[in-house]
Every structure is written in C-alpha cells, then in structure tokens.
Amino acid sequence: GFGQQRQQQRGGPGGGFGGGGFGQQRQQQRGGPGGGFGGGGFGQQRQQQQQQRAAELYSRSSPVTRLGGPKFPDAKSKHIWLIHWYSSSKEAQRPSGLEESVEKLASKLKDQGTVKVGAVDCDREKQLCNSKQQQQLPNFETVAAGEAVPLFNSATLHSKGLNEQLKILHTHATEALQAQQHRVYNLRREAALPEVMGQANSAAKWRVGVFVFTDKFESSSVLLALSHMFRGDVSFVEVRGANLALGQRFNVKSYPTVLAVCGGSDKATVPYEGAISGAVAWRGVAWRGVA
C-alpha cells in the first residue's frame, strides 16, 4: 500500500534514509564515532589548514618578497629593505595577523619606489635566521647597504590595531630613508659650488652629479632612496628653498628642476624634462646624465 511504500522511501521501520537511519548517515558524514572528517578528526584537519595558511603567509603574487639565504640583501644591494622575520609554525598556533599591515605598507612603498618589503620564514630558513640572530619572532628590521636596524617594539606590534601597526612600520622604514641624508649634498651658497662640484665629481664612478632644485626644505623620500641606489656611481646635490642665486646660475625657471651635471662642469648640463612622479622617472635622470 501507499503507507508501506512511503515507509520504504523513508528507510524502513526505525531506520530513516537508507536503512541505517539519518543519524547514522550524518555520523558517517562526520567521520564515524570519535573520528571526524576522514577518520583523522576535525582538529587534525584544522591544524593542517592552519599550517598551510602559515606556510603561505605571503603568496607569490604578494607585494612582499619572499627572502632566503640565496636572496637576501647585502652590502651591495641597491635597495633599502624592511624585513619581516617570522615562524610559520608559531603563526599556525597563534596567528599574529601582522601580514595584513605588512602587505598594505608594501603596496604603498612599492608605488613610491622607496623601500622594498620582504619576509623570511625562519622555519624554512633556519641557517639564515641563526646567522642573523633572529630568535625572538616575529621581528622587523630595516637593511640598507648591509646594515640592519631592528624595530625595538616588534614583540608588542601584534597587540596594536591595524592603523597603529602601519604607522609604526612606516616610521621605521622612513627612518631608514632619512639615514641616507648624508649621501645628498646640500648646496646653500654659490661660493661653495666649485668645492661641492669637485667632491661630487670625484665621488661618482660615472662622473655625474644630479642637481635637484626645489622650493622644499627637506629631501624627498624618492631622492634619498635613489642616493642609496646609485651610491658610488652618481652624486646627488640638492638646492633647497627656491635659492634665487643658484637658480639664476643654472637658469632655473620652475621647481622642481633636475639637471645632470657631467664631469664636474656647470657648463656641461643635461636637463631632465620628463615627469618626476616616481622612482622610475628619477632613475631616468641618472641614466640620462650618463648617456
């Protein structure tokens, strides 16, 4: 009868959905008694997922560069780096959540062309981390020309909010840029021009000095990054505050104006006429002076 047919569709007396009962089917989906998802337990699967996420803290498409022994900034490196040292196993157990702040800052600095951001997983790069004495993780430091400067409050950074983390990391990166100020000659008086040009010419392997005329009173981050990048090859001279006398000497009409001065002679100048909107354009200034 219809009642029997309906009972069979339900799974028979006392069963429900396939004879084993809906409760049994649901139990099998969960992994059987005491198991959970394939017999290994839900906890085991979750642990594996956490480890996988930690191992992929920064993907290959991330603005943060994965660094290791063969690829780590040294004294000859052209760029200034902000480096995140971490342990993937610790991140799996107690995620710090710092990667979001690091990636946001990396994207911003990449657009500016000033500081590169990298990360080292000390579980994978044990030899490198031991050689750099990275025991307390996570940790941050900047590296410029092979010299490392640690961020002293790295251990408490994870307890800060996102905006505060960004502020602290950005300040640390900016301090690394400001430390390059000694690579930029600050030309104030016309009387000092011969001495400054002589020093700039002798210090530059390519015998090119890039003169930057600006109405500002502080060096831009991009200029400081380039002075580090071309250290030993090109000298950088800055004329600040819309200096009238020096501006007239070089026929400067507007600010900023950039000139490549070749061979230490103010008569051998090459103006840069392109847009100065980032590090790529600024690098063109240096190359233009060599060409």
PDB file of all heavy atoms in Angstrom, residues 48-72:
ATOM      1  N   GLN A  48      46.057  21.110   9.973  1.00  0.00           N
ATOM      2  CA  GLN A  48      46.710  21.076   8.666  1.00  0.00           C
ATOM      3  C   GLN A  48      46.403  22.337   7.866  1.00  0.00           C
ATOM      4  O   GLN A  48      47.269  22.886   7.193  1.00  0.00           O
ATOM      5  CB  GLN A  48      46.269  19.838   7.893  1.00  0.00           C
ATOM      6  CG  GLN A  48      46.795  18.526   8.471  1.00  0.00           C
ATOM      7  CD  GLN A  48      46.195  17.319   7.788  1.00  0.00           C
ATOM      8  OE1 GLN A  48      45.217  17.427   7.045  1.00  0.00           O
ATOM      9  NE2 GLN A  48      46.765  16.148   8.043  1.00  0.00           N
ATOM     10  N   GLN A  49      45.158  22.808   7.947  1.00  0.00           N
ATOM     11  CA  GLN A  49      44.791  24.026   7.242  1.00  0.00           C
ATOM     12  C   GLN A  49      45.538  25.221   7.800  1.00  0.00           C
ATOM     13  O   GLN A  49      45.987  26.092   7.062  1.00  0.00           O
ATOM     14  CB  GLN A  49      43.280  24.259   7.347  1.00  0.00           C
ATOM     15  CG  GLN A  49      42.449  23.274   6.547  1.00  0.00           C
ATOM     16  CD  GLN A  49      40.973  23.445   6.788  1.00  0.00           C
ATOM     17  OE1 GLN A  49      40.555  24.078   7.769  1.00  0.00           O
ATOM     18  NE2 GLN A  49      40.167  22.889   5.906  1.00  0.00           N
ATOM     19  N   GLN A  50      45.692  25.278   9.119  1.00  0.00           N
ATOM     20  CA  GLN A  50      46.430  26.367   9.743  1.00  0.00           C
ATOM     21  C   GLN A  50      47.883  26.364   9.302  1.00  0.00           C
ATOM     22  O   GLN A  50      48.471  27.405   9.013  1.00  0.00           O
ATOM     23  CB  GLN A  50      46.348  26.254  11.266  1.00  0.00           C
ATOM     24  CG  GLN A  50      44.981  26.639  11.830  1.00  0.00           C
ATOM     25  CD  GLN A  50      44.911  26.434  13.328  1.00  0.00           C
ATOM     26  OE1 GLN A  50      45.661  25.637  13.902  1.00  0.00           O
ATOM     27  NE2 GLN A  50      44.013  27.160  13.973  1.00  0.00           N
ATOM     28  N   GLN A  51      48.489  25.185   9.247  1.00  0.00           N
ATOM     29  CA  GLN A  51      49.875  25.075   8.822  1.00  0.00           C
ATOM     30  C   GLN A  51      50.042  25.509   7.372  1.00  0.00           C
ATOM     31  O   GLN A  51      51.014  26.149   7.005  1.00  0.00           O
ATOM     32  CB  GLN A  51      50.373  23.637   9.018  1.00  0.00           C
ATOM     33  CG  GLN A  51      50.540  23.248  10.474  1.00  0.00           C
ATOM     34  CD  GLN A  51      50.881  21.785  10.647  1.00  0.00           C
ATOM     35  OE1 GLN A  51      50.756  20.989   9.718  1.00  0.00           O
ATOM     36  NE2 GLN A  51      51.318  21.414  11.832  1.00  0.00           N
ATOM     37  N   GLN A  52      49.049  25.140   6.540  1.00  0.00           N
ATOM     38  CA  GLN A  52      49.103  25.522   5.136  1.00  0.00           C
ATOM     39  C   GLN A  52      49.003  27.033   4.987  1.00  0.00           C
ATOM     40  O   GLN A  52      49.725  27.645   4.219  1.00  0.00           O
ATOM     41  CB  GLN A  52      47.980  24.845   4.359  1.00  0.00           C
ATOM     42  CG  GLN A  52      48.051  25.099   2.844  1.00  0.00           C
ATOM     43  CD  GLN A  52      46.955  24.365   2.108  1.00  0.00           C
ATOM     44  OE1 GLN A  52      46.049  23.825   2.718  1.00  0.00           O
ATOM     45  NE2 GLN A  52      47.034  24.346   0.810  1.00  0.00           N
ATOM     46  N   ARG A  53      48.080  27.665   5.759  1.00  0.00           N
ATOM     47  CA  ARG A  53      47.940  29.110   5.704  1.00  0.00           C
ATOM     48  C   ARG A  53      49.215  29.786   6.172  1.00  0.00           C
ATOM     49  O   ARG A  53      49.656  30.779   5.608  1.00  0.00           O
ATOM     50  CB  ARG A  53      46.765  29.560   6.561  1.00  0.00           C
ATOM     51  CG  ARG A  53      45.411  29.295   5.928  1.00  0.00           C
ATOM     52  CD  ARG A  53      44.354  30.143   6.602  1.00  0.00           C
ATOM     53  NE  ARG A  53      44.224  29.834   8.013  1.00  0.00           N
ATOM     54  CZ  ARG A  53      43.375  28.933   8.490  1.00  0.00           C
ATOM     55  NH1 ARG A  53      42.612  28.245   7.681  1.00  0.00           N
ATOM     56  NH2 ARG A  53      43.290  28.727   9.785  1.00  0.00           N
ATOM     57  N   ALA A  54      49.826  29.274   7.244  1.00  0.00           N
ATOM     58  CA  ALA A  54      51.044  29.874   7.771  1.00  0.00           C
ATOM     59  C   ALA A  54      52.184  29.745   6.782  1.00  0.00           C
ATOM     60  O   ALA A  54      52.971  30.662   6.608  1.00  0.00           O
ATOM     61  CB  ALA A  54      51.417  29.213   9.101  1.00  0.00           C
ATOM     62  N   ALA A  55      52.261  28.581   6.133  1.00  0.00           N
ATOM     63  CA  ALA A  55      53.331  28.379   5.163  1.00  0.00           C
ATOM     64  C   ALA A  55      53.173  29.316   3.977  1.00  0.00           C
ATOM     65  O   ALA A  55      54.146  29.658   3.326  1.00  0.00           O
ATOM     66  CB  ALA A  55      53.332  26.923   4.695  1.00  0.00           C
ATOM     67  N   GLU A  56      51.936  29.743   3.720  1.00  0.00           N
ATOM     68  CA  GLU A  56      51.671  30.651   2.612  1.00  0.00           C
ATOM     69  C   GLU A  56      51.311  32.036   3.145  1.00  0.00           C
ATOM     70  O   GLU A  56      50.388  32.692   2.676  1.00  0.00           O
ATOM     71  CB  GLU A  56      50.534  30.096   1.743  1.00  0.00           C
ATOM     72  CG  GLU A  56      50.851  28.746   1.129  1.00  0.00           C
ATOM     73  CD  GLU A  56      49.643  28.127   0.435  1.00  0.00           C
ATOM     74  OE1 GLU A  56      48.547  28.722   0.532  1.00  0.00           O
ATOM     75  OE2 GLU A  56      49.797  27.069  -0.178  1.00  0.00           O
ATOM     76  N   LEU A  57      52.037  32.493   4.160  1.00  0.00           N
ATOM     77  CA  LEU A  57      51.759  33.781   4.782  1.00  0.00           C
ATOM     78  C   LEU A  57      51.785  34.896   3.746  1.00  0.00           C
ATOM     79  O   LEU A  57      50.973  35.817   3.779  1.00  0.00           O
ATOM     80  CB  LEU A  57      52.784  34.053   5.882  1.00  0.00           C
ATOM     81  CG  LEU A  57      52.421  35.137   6.900  1.00  0.00           C
ATOM     82  CD1 LEU A  57      51.153  34.804   7.645  1.00  0.00           C
ATOM     83  CD2 LEU A  57      53.572  35.347   7.879  1.00  0.00           C
ATOM     84  N   TYR A  58      52.748  34.809   2.823  1.00  0.00           N
ATOM     85  CA  TYR A  58      52.819  35.756   1.714  1.00  0.00           C
ATOM     86  C   TYR A  58      52.870  34.971   0.406  1.00  0.00           C
ATOM     87  O   TYR A  58      53.813  34.219   0.167  1.00  0.00           O
ATOM     88  CB  TYR A  58      54.052  36.647   1.845  1.00  0.00           C
ATOM     89  CG  TYR A  58      54.048  37.498   3.100  1.00  0.00           C
ATOM     90  CD1 TYR A  58      54.896  37.191   4.169  1.00  0.00           C
ATOM     91  CD2 TYR A  58      53.195  38.590   3.223  1.00  0.00           C
ATOM     92  CE1 TYR A  58      54.884  37.962   5.319  1.00  0.00           C
ATOM     93  CE2 TYR A  58      53.183  39.357   4.363  1.00  0.00           C
ATOM     94  CZ  TYR A  58      54.025  39.042   5.413  1.00  0.00           C
ATOM     95  OH  TYR A  58      54.006  39.802   6.551  1.00  0.00           O
ATOM     96  N   SER A  59      51.872  35.135  -0.415  1.00  0.00           N
ATOM     97  CA  SER A  59      51.813  34.402  -1.681  1.00  0.00           C
ATOM     98  C   SER A  59      52.819  34.976  -2.669  1.00  0.00           C
ATOM     99  O   SER A  59      53.403  36.047  -2.454  1.00  0.00           O
ATOM    100  CB  SER A  59      50.406  34.492  -2.273  1.00  0.00           C
ATOM    101  OG  SER A  59      50.120  35.829  -2.671  1.00  0.00           O
ATOM    102  N   ARG A  60      53.000  34.269  -3.766  1.00  0.00           N
ATOM    103  CA  ARG A  60      53.947  34.726  -4.787  1.00  0.00           C
ATOM    104  C   ARG A  60      53.465  35.991  -5.484  1.00  0.00           C
ATOM    105  O   ARG A  60      54.256  36.722  -6.071  1.00  0.00           O
ATOM    106  CB  ARG A  60      54.187  33.616  -5.816  1.00  0.00           C
ATOM    107  CG  ARG A  60      54.847  32.385  -5.210  1.00  0.00           C
ATOM    108  CD  ARG A  60      55.339  31.419  -6.258  1.00  0.00           C
ATOM    109  NE  ARG A  60      55.936  30.239  -5.656  1.00  0.00           N
ATOM    110  CZ  ARG A  60      57.190  30.186  -5.198  1.00  0.00           C
ATOM    111  NH1 ARG A  60      57.946  31.254  -5.281  1.00  0.00           N
ATOM    112  NH2 ARG A  60      57.656  29.080  -4.656  1.00  0.00           N
ATOM    113  N   SER A  61      52.177  36.259  -5.426  1.00  0.00           N
ATOM    114  CA  SER A  61      51.640  37.478  -6.025  1.00  0.00           C
ATOM    115  C   SER A  61      51.617  38.648  -5.037  1.00  0.00           C
ATOM    116  O   SER A  61      51.199  39.750  -5.384  1.00  0.00           O
ATOM    117  CB  SER A  61      50.223  37.228  -6.546  1.00  0.00           C
ATOM    118  OG  SER A  61      49.362  36.835  -5.484  1.00  0.00           O
ATOM    119  N   SER A  62      52.060  38.406  -3.818  1.00  0.00           N
ATOM    120  CA  SER A  62      52.052  39.433  -2.781  1.00  0.00           C
ATOM    121  C   SER A  62      53.089  40.516  -3.082  1.00  0.00           C
ATOM    122  O   SER A  62      54.139  40.242  -3.675  1.00  0.00           O
ATOM    123  CB  SER A  62      52.353  38.795  -1.419  1.00  0.00           C
ATOM    124  OG  SER A  62      52.586  39.787  -0.434  1.00  0.00           O
ATOM    125  N   PRO A  63      52.842  41.763  -2.669  1.00  0.00           N
ATOM    126  CA  PRO A  63      53.860  42.809  -2.804  1.00  0.00           C
ATOM    127  C   PRO A  63      55.042  42.610  -1.865  1.00  0.00           C
ATOM    128  O   PRO A  63      56.052  43.309  -1.980  1.00  0.00           O
ATOM    129  CB  PRO A  63      53.088  44.093  -2.455  1.00  0.00           C
ATOM    130  CG  PRO A  63      51.953  43.624  -1.585  1.00  0.00           C
ATOM    131  CD  PRO A  63      51.585  42.271  -2.113  1.00  0.00           C
ATOM    132  N   VAL A  64      54.915  41.651  -0.946  1.00  0.00           N
ATOM    133  CA  VAL A  64      56.003  41.306  -0.031  1.00  0.00           C
ATOM    134  C   VAL A  64      56.841  40.199  -0.658  1.00  0.00           C
ATOM    135  O   VAL A  64      56.323  39.146  -1.034  1.00  0.00           O
ATOM    136  CB  VAL A  64      55.453  40.844   1.336  1.00  0.00           C
ATOM    137  CG1 VAL A  64      56.598  40.471   2.272  1.00  0.00           C
ATOM    138  CG2 VAL A  64      54.588  41.931   1.951  1.00  0.00           C
ATOM    139  N   THR A  65      58.135  40.418  -0.776  1.00  0.00           N
ATOM    140  CA  THR A  65      59.043  39.465  -1.419  1.00  0.00           C
ATOM    141  C   THR A  65      59.498  38.397  -0.438  1.00  0.00           C
ATOM    142  O   THR A  65      59.917  38.715   0.690  1.00  0.00           O
ATOM    143  CB  THR A  65      60.279  40.191  -1.980  1.00  0.00           C
ATOM    144  OG1 THR A  65      59.852  41.214  -2.891  1.00  0.00           O
ATOM    145  CG2 THR A  65      61.204  39.228  -2.706  1.00  0.00           C
ATOM    146  N   ARG A  66      59.413  37.140  -0.836  1.00  0.00           N
ATOM    147  CA  ARG A  66      59.953  36.058  -0.012  1.00  0.00           C
ATOM    148  C   ARG A  66      61.474  36.054  -0.115  1.00  0.00           C
ATOM    149  O   ARG A  66      62.033  35.973  -1.197  1.00  0.00           O
ATOM    150  CB  ARG A  66      59.413  34.710  -0.481  1.00  0.00           C
ATOM    151  CG  ARG A  66      57.909  34.539  -0.355  1.00  0.00           C
ATOM    152  CD  ARG A  66      57.510  33.160  -0.875  1.00  0.00           C
ATOM    153  NE  ARG A  66      56.072  32.965  -0.893  1.00  0.00           N
ATOM    154  CZ  ARG A  66      55.491  31.848  -1.332  1.00  0.00           C
ATOM    155  NH1 ARG A  66      56.248  30.858  -1.790  1.00  0.00           N
ATOM    156  NH2 ARG A  66      54.177  31.740  -1.318  1.00  0.00           N
ATOM    157  N   LEU A  67      62.125  36.134   1.028  1.00  0.00           N
ATOM    158  CA  LEU A  67      63.584  36.183   1.067  1.00  0.00           C
ATOM    159  C   LEU A  67      64.140  34.918   1.706  1.00  0.00           C
ATOM    160  O   LEU A  67      63.489  34.280   2.528  1.00  0.00           O
ATOM    161  CB  LEU A  67      64.058  37.405   1.851  1.00  0.00           C
ATOM    162  CG  LEU A  67      63.681  38.774   1.282  1.00  0.00           C
ATOM    163  CD1 LEU A  67      64.097  39.882   2.242  1.00  0.00           C
ATOM    164  CD2 LEU A  67      64.302  38.985  -0.090  1.00  0.00           C
ATOM    165  N   GLY A  68      65.373  34.569   1.332  1.00  0.00           N
ATOM    166  CA  GLY A  68      66.061  33.409   1.888  1.00  0.00           C
ATOM    167  C   GLY A  68      67.564  33.589   1.747  1.00  0.00           C
ATOM    168  O   GLY A  68      68.042  34.648   1.324  1.00  0.00           O
ATOM    169  N   GLY A  69      68.297  32.545   2.074  1.00  0.00           N
ATOM    170  CA  GLY A  69      69.750  32.605   2.027  1.00  0.00           C
ATOM    171  C   GLY A  69      70.317  33.092   0.701  1.00  0.00           C
ATOM    172  O   GLY A  69      71.130  34.020   0.656  1.00  0.00           O
ATOM    173  N   PRO A  70      69.906  32.482  -0.423  1.00  0.00           N
ATOM    174  CA  PRO A  70      70.449  32.913  -1.717  1.00  0.00           C
ATOM    175  C   PRO A  70      69.960  34.288  -2.145  1.00  0.00           C
ATOM    176  O   PRO A  70      70.558  34.910  -3.021  1.00  0.00           O
ATOM    177  CB  PRO A  70      69.925  31.844  -2.688  1.00  0.00           C
ATOM    178  CG  PRO A  70      69.475  30.700  -1.836  1.00  0.00           C
ATOM    179  CD  PRO A  70      69.016  31.320  -0.554  1.00  0.00           C
ATOM    180  N   LYS A  71      68.868  34.741  -1.556  1.00  0.00           N
ATOM    181  CA  LYS A  71      68.271  36.013  -1.957  1.00  0.00           C
ATOM    182  C   LYS A  71      68.015  36.846  -0.706  1.00  0.00           C
ATOM    183  O   LYS A  71      66.905  36.926  -0.193  1.00  0.00           O
ATOM    184  CB  LYS A  71      66.962  35.768  -2.716  1.00  0.00           C
ATOM    185  CG  LYS A  71      66.342  37.031  -3.295  1.00  0.00           C
ATOM    186  CD  LYS A  71      65.045  36.713  -4.031  1.00  0.00           C
ATOM    187  CE  LYS A  71      64.420  37.976  -4.631  1.00  0.00           C
ATOM    188  NZ  LYS A  71      63.154  37.691  -5.334  1.00  0.00           N
ATOM    189  N   PHE A  72      69.085  37.483  -0.236  1.00  0.00           N
ATOM    190  CA  PHE A  72      68.964  38.323   0.944  1.00  0.00           C
ATOM    191  C   PHE A  72      69.835  39.560   0.755  1.00  0.00           C
ATOM    192  O   PHE A  72      70.970  39.449   0.271  1.00  0.00           O
ATOM    193  CB  PHE A  72      69.387  37.561   2.204  1.00  0.00           C
ATOM    194  CG  PHE A  72      69.034  38.277   3.480  1.00  0.00           C
ATOM    195  CD1 PHE A  72      67.761  38.187   4.004  1.00  0.00           C
ATOM    196  CD2 PHE A  72      69.971  39.069   4.131  1.00  0.00           C
ATOM    197  CE1 PHE A  72      67.419  38.854   5.169  1.00  0.00           C
ATOM    198  CE2 PHE A  72      69.651  39.737   5.292  1.00  0.00           C
ATOM    199  CZ  PHE A  72      68.368  39.628   5.818  1.00  0.00           C
TER     200      PHE A  72
END
